[in-house]
Amino acid sequence: MLGCVLRKMCWKRTGARRGVCTRQPAPRVRFAPSPTGFLHLGGLRTALYNYLFAKQRGGAFILRLEDTDRARLLPGAADAIEDMLEWAGVPPDESSRRGGDYGPYVQSERLPLYSQTAAALLQTGHAYYCFCSNQRLDLLKREAQRSGHVPRYDNRCRRLQPEQVQQRLAQGVPAVVRFKLASGAEPFQDMVFGWTRHEVAAVEGDPIILKADGFPTYHLASVVDDHHMRVSHVLRGSEWLISTAKHLQLFRALGWTPPAYAHLPLLLNRDGSKLSKRQGDIFIQRFREQGVLPETLLDLVTHAGSGFDNNRIGRRLEELVCEFNISKITTHSALLDLDKLHEFNRVHLQRRIEDEEKCAVLRDELRQRVLHTHGSQISDRAVLEPLYIQRVLELRKGHVCSLRELLNHMHAYLWIRPRVTRQQLQEVSAEAENIAAAVIQLVASGGSFESTEHLNTELKLIASRLKHTKYSGMMRVLRLALSAQQQGPSVAEMMLSLGEQEVCVRLQKALEQTGTT
């Protein structure tokens, strides 16, 4: 914790002023998804690393929605992304919903700013109008593919004379704005990949920065927004590493100071394959519906990759903030083992149960789930009381991975009285009535219901007095009478969960019930 406090202070000594401490400016970082889909595990990890970097240094975490790809926008995705960040416990400090001093935080609401910037680049000669039709661009692409080359624009319109440009603009010919890539790109230092250099002009044509409809492309919009929103550090996926060379050229052409860059390695499946968004099994909303806790997902995605001195299961968000170390992020891909999801969730669910405040929330949630699943079958409303639900949670912690498990068939006995006949019990043991009577007597005499250990001791004493039934047989009789099942938690745990009164009620009803179920 001390190390965390020291890092939060962010002091550094300067060589020019020996002995004088100066405070580094608080960083401003951003998570900038496109609302063309819902938040998935890869996006959550990028958002989380930005959040950890900002919070560790007392900075700001910004949510910016890059919605300039109008054809692929998904209705409801923008709100859902922020909903899931809030649910996961990594809410932005600034966003369209929360506001802030550097809005709007949605790119489609900042179009005049992009147009002004594109105009400035045109005026300084760093950009030009391109009038090439889609048909010509498609032809260039097909020819390149036919010859085995990577498709690229041939920069044809860069050579147009000013009068030719003005003539076509006056005629209303549709035009885009392209940025002039300079040859001989300078190297830059990435916080993860180190010194990097990409000769983008040698392999790519000049990129479009402003489309004919007035909407910017990612290259222009991200640079403009990072500058005007005072973003100090950009932590994004490694797929953007090559494009950074273009972005740095844009910053230089505009006379702006670029942020520091850190490109995060890809998040892959354990076998090295890409996470499949098409299958829908990596979206945060899906995990939430399955009963996965938010802290489980944060723990899992950080455990999969780098950025920490060591890995262990069960880290809380505050621990992740303290232990995060960007210099520990490696360049190799992070492998996500979803097979460990249940193990992670079991650990974090247990921690919630052991936290008084968080357990109260769990009790309310479980009560609602029980009502929704078993409502019409509940015969005793006592199973909905907080003390009963608390007892169930305490006894099952460390055994179940989610609240949903407490609603499955194996745990139905917790909420619904089973229908078991005397004949069914006698098929297990001819001494079933004696067993039930002995347990009822144990309860009546104040027998120990303090713990499973004490109760097991009492049950073994009862079994020792039986003439023809072994301890295991007695357990089968009791399990059947209490749950109508052949497996599940230990009989002692079942009895403690149900409580003394309910145990007696079920045993008595089983003895009174005749016929078949």
Side-chain angles (χ1 to χ4, degrees), residues 437-492:
V439 172
I440 292 173
Q441 179 59 37
L442 172 65
V443 174
S445 63
S448 178
F449 265 62
E450 296 176 5
S451 68
T452 56
E453 292 79 8
H454 290 153
L455 190 50
N456 273 323
T457 300
E458 299 278 5
L459 293 175
K460 286 178 181 178
L461 286 175
I462 294 175
S464 68
R465 295 193 290 266
L466 297 173
K467 295 181 179 179
H468 307 291
T469 307
K470 295 181 179 180
Y471 176 74
S472 59
M474 187 180 93
M475 292 298 101
R476 289 198 299 274
V477 169
L478 292 176
R479 182 184 297 280
L480 182 62
L482 297 175
S483 68
Q485 296 179 19
Q486 300 296 328
Q487 59 184 4
S490 70
V491 171

Side-chain angles (χ1 to χ4, degrees), residues 91-111:
D93 300 299
E94 301 173 25
S95 68
S96 179
R97 180 182 298 176
R98 292 174 177 259
D101 296 333
Y102 299 92
Y105 294 91
V106 180
Q107 285 184 338
S108 60
E109 299 174 13
R110 301 167 65 85
L111 297 185

Side-chain angles (χ1 to χ4, degrees), residues 29 45 53 62 97 136 170 181 188 226 245 253 262 285 304 338 346 361 388 392 420 446 452 456 471 504:
V29 299
R45 188 190 65 142
F53 185 86
I62 304 162
R97 180 182 298 176
R136 180 176 187 273
L181 289 177
F188 67 94
D226 286 345
Q285 180 66 39
L338 285 176
R346 180 171 57 249
V361 177
Y388 181 84
V392 170
V420 181
T452 56
N456 273 323
Y471 176 74
C504 292

Side-chain angles (χ1 to χ4, degrees), residues 356-375:
E356 184 176 349
E357 185 176 341
K358 292 180 179 178
C359 190
V361 177
L362 287 178
R363 289 198 305 267
D364 291 340
E365 181 183 348
L366 182 54
R367 183 179 188 275
Q368 293 303 317
R369 287 178 177 268
V370 170
L371 278 171
H372 181 265
T373 305
H374 301 299

